[in-house]
Amino acid sequence: MILILRGGIDDSDLEIVFERLTALGVTWHVARGAERVVLTLTGDDELLRTAQLEALPGVDRLVATQKPYKLASLDYRSERTTIRIGKRTIGDRKIVVMAGPCSVESRAQCFTIGDSVAKSGAGVFRGGAFKPRTSPYSFQGLGREGLEILAEVRERTGLSIITEVMDTRDVELVARYADIIQIGARNVQNFSLLNEVGKTSVPVFIKRGMMTTITELLMSAEYVMANGNENVMLCERGIRGFDTALRNTLDLSAVPLLQSLTHLPVIVDPSHGVGDWRYVVPMARAAVAAGADGLMIEVHHSPETAFSDGVQSLLPSRFDDGMRQIRKIARAIGRSV
Ligand code: PEP
Ligand code: MN
């Protein structure tokens, strides 16, 4: 059960609610958001149902949910969540495309790619300043300098910025620069990190891990939301199956499935999903057809010299052509790009 309280509830009314819950033998977790305070309750559901909690001052409504994820569930919110990022909205009719290099390598590299993806119609520039690399000897990212470059790209192109945070110690820093904070596939169940980004008010983009079930992904969203940050989006980026022909298996069924379970926007990353630029555009088309609210696509003007993920990066011209293709698919299902 979840008890939704009005954001402006005063301390004395809150105390009355707590006393009532204690009397009912119920324990609770408090999530303080900008507009409301949400109590996730553990106790006797039947008792709660008949306790007339909604009659107490400052209480909005009691919501029954049997799901392990509460705030991420459609029981909590039946209308789809839309997230405002600068002048764009994620989760409405218009599909948002996030494009850019895997890694922020230099100012010149990001300016070149940023200018071209903006012209092609992307809404968000992506680029990692902190990179989760399999080998400790591989390029680890430019760190703070990379964040500065991303801010310059935003200034120059008007694109919003998404970038990954890997370490709880960097959350404050990344939150200062990013319009959207990315939690990478490898950190999807890093609960300390999820708690920390949940304490910020910056929208959070959670990538499904290679071995993450749909329920686990939703529980990761729940961690962020339980800390008061309800601006969460989920990203399918391929899971690890038995077949090694491609880097991953892009699970596009996750799109309609997630949309039947949660109100949160669902994004697809075909680049990491297939790991080979030749299949990125076809899977981007399929993702849009499946109902994705957005796409994340890696683009590089010189894939052969890219510091990371060159093989799966589209040349700017191919990205531009891909955007034309997905626009047609979007139109066919009553959406736009
Ligand atoms: C990335 O977006 O470059 C990245 C590292 O993705 P993932 O966490 O999905 O592997
Ligand atoms: Mn990458």
Side-chain angles (χ1 to χ4, degrees), residues 102 126 131-132 164 182 184-186 207 237 272 298 309:
C102 181
R126 65 142 289 146
K131 294 305 302 176
E164 178 166 354
Q182 176 171 326
R186 292 155 191 81
K207 285 189 145 193
R237 49 74 75 205
H272 293 86
E298 286 187 337
D309 287 350

Side-chain angles (χ1 to χ4, degrees), residues 101-103 126-128 130-133 164 166 182-188 205 207-210 235-238 247-248 269 271-273 296 298 308-309 312:
C102 181
S103 298
R126 65 142 289 146
F130 296 96
K131 294 305 302 176
R133 303 307 298 280
E164 178 166 354
M166 291 174 25
Q182 176 171 326
I183 299 294
R186 292 155 191 81
N187 271 315
V188 64
F205 179 98
K207 285 189 145 193
R208 182 181 184 183
M210 296 86 169
C235 177
E236 163 61 37
R237 49 74 75 205
R247 183 175 182 182
N248 288 298
D269 169 357
S271 303
H272 293 86
M296 171 172 269
E298 286 187 337
S308 58
D309 287 350
Q312 67 194 35

Side-chain angles (χ1 to χ4, degrees), residues 219-241:
M219 292 309 288
S220 294
E222 191 75 14
Y223 261 90
V224 177
M225 298 180 81
N227 280 279
N229 187 348
E230 297 191 358
N231 292 319
V232 178
M233 46 210 119
L234 304 170
C235 177
E236 163 61 37
R237 49 74 75 205
I239 51 178
R240 202 167 271 184

Side-chain angles (χ1 to χ4, degrees), residues 11-331:
D11 287 349
S12 57
D13 285 342
L14 193 57
E15 208 41 57
I16 293 170
V17 173
F18 289 160
E19 277 167 21
R20 188 87 184 85
L21 293 173
T22 305
L24 292 166
V26 169
T27 58
W28 61 88
H29 170 276
V30 187
R32 267 175 214 277
E35 285 146 40
R36 58 189 85 79
V37 179
V38 182
L39 306 184
T40 306
L41 311 177
T42 310
D44 183 335
D45 284 359
E46 200 41 51
L47 208 57
L48 279 166
R49 238 188 294 273
T50 53
Q52 298 193 326
L53 294 167
E54 276 139 327
L56 295 173
V59 174
D60 183 9
R61 63 201 162 96
L62 181 73
V63 178
T65 177
Q66 300 309 321
K67 298 274 169 42
Y69 45 89
K70 313 284 180 197
L71 307 176
S73 79
L74 286 169
D75 297 325
Y76 173 58
R77 191 183 296 154
S78 56
E79 71 277 15
R80 308 224 63 85
T81 287
T82 55
I83 302 173
R84 192 92 193 135
I85 313 279
K87 51 185 193 289
R88 296 169 190 89
T89 303
I90 297 180
D92 68 1
R93 220 186 120 264
K94 192 170 161 64
I95 293 160
V96 176
V97 179
M98 308 177 183
C102 181
S103 298
V104 173
E105 299 169 11
S106 69
R107 180 172 287 105
Q109 173 237 18
C110 283
F111 283 7
T112 301
I113 301 170
D115 290 354
S116 72
V117 298
K119 218 160 98 209
S120 299
V124 179
F125 186 74
R126 65 142 289 146
F130 296 96
K131 294 305 302 176
R133 303 307 298 280
T134 303
S135 164
Y137 311 119
S138 299
F139 176 64
Q140 303 286 309
L142 295 180
R144 185 189 289 263
E145 188 194 339
L147 298 174
E148 290 284 352
I149 293 172
L150 289 170
E152 288 178 41
V153 172
R154 170 172 48 210
E155 190 65 32
R156 181 184 167 98
T157 61
L159 295 173
S160 301
I161 297 300
I162 179 168
T163 196
E164 178 166 354
V165 68
M166 291 174 25
D167 193 312
T168 50
R169 291 168 295 186
D170 296 322
V171 168
E172 206 189 306
L173 174 71
V174 173
R176 243 186 284 139
Y177 286 89
D179 299 302
I180 308 172
I181 298 177
Q182 176 171 326
I183 299 294
R186 292 155 191 81
N187 271 315
V188 64
Q189 288 192 310
N190 181 337
F191 302 118
S192 318
L193 191 59
L194 295 171
N195 281 330
E196 219 48 42
V197 297
K199 288 179 199 147
T200 76
S201 56
V202 182
V204 179
F205 179 98
I206 307 178
K207 285 189 145 193
R208 182 181 184 183
M210 296 86 169
M211 304 191 303
T212 310
T213 65
I214 293 292
T215 304
E216 286 165 345
L217 177 60
L218 289 165
M219 292 309 288
S220 294
E222 191 75 14
Y223 261 90
V224 177
M225 298 180 81
N227 280 279
N229 187 348
E230 297 191 358
N231 292 319
V232 178
M233 46 210 119
L234 304 170
C235 177
E236 163 61 37
R237 49 74 75 205
I239 51 178
R240 202 167 271 184
F242 61 87
D243 197 337
T244 54
L246 289 173
R247 183 175 182 182
N248 288 298
T249 298
L250 187 62
D251 177 15
L252 284 183
S253 60
V255 177
L257 176 56
L258 282 168
Q259 287 171 342
S260 73
L261 300 171
T262 181
H263 50 85
L264 300 171
V266 181
I267 316 288
V268 171
D269 169 357
S271 303
H272 293 86
V274 296
D276 182 328
W277 70 267
R278 289 172 295 178
Y279 312 117
V280 170
V281 171
M283 294 315 282
R285 291 197 306 253
V288 170
D293 298 301
L295 295 170
M296 171 172 269
I297 297 178
E298 286 187 337
V299 177
H300 203 289
H301 62 294
S302 174
E304 63 285 357
T305 59
F307 289 6
S308 58
D309 287 350
V311 184
Q312 67 194 35
S313 298
L314 292 178
L315 282 166
S317 57
R318 293 204 168 99
F319 173 71
D320 191 69
D321 185 52
M323 288 291 280
R324 281 175 220 282
Q325 297 182 38
I326 62 171
R327 255 181 221 117
K328 291 184 196 159
I329 308 277
R331 212 172 304 131

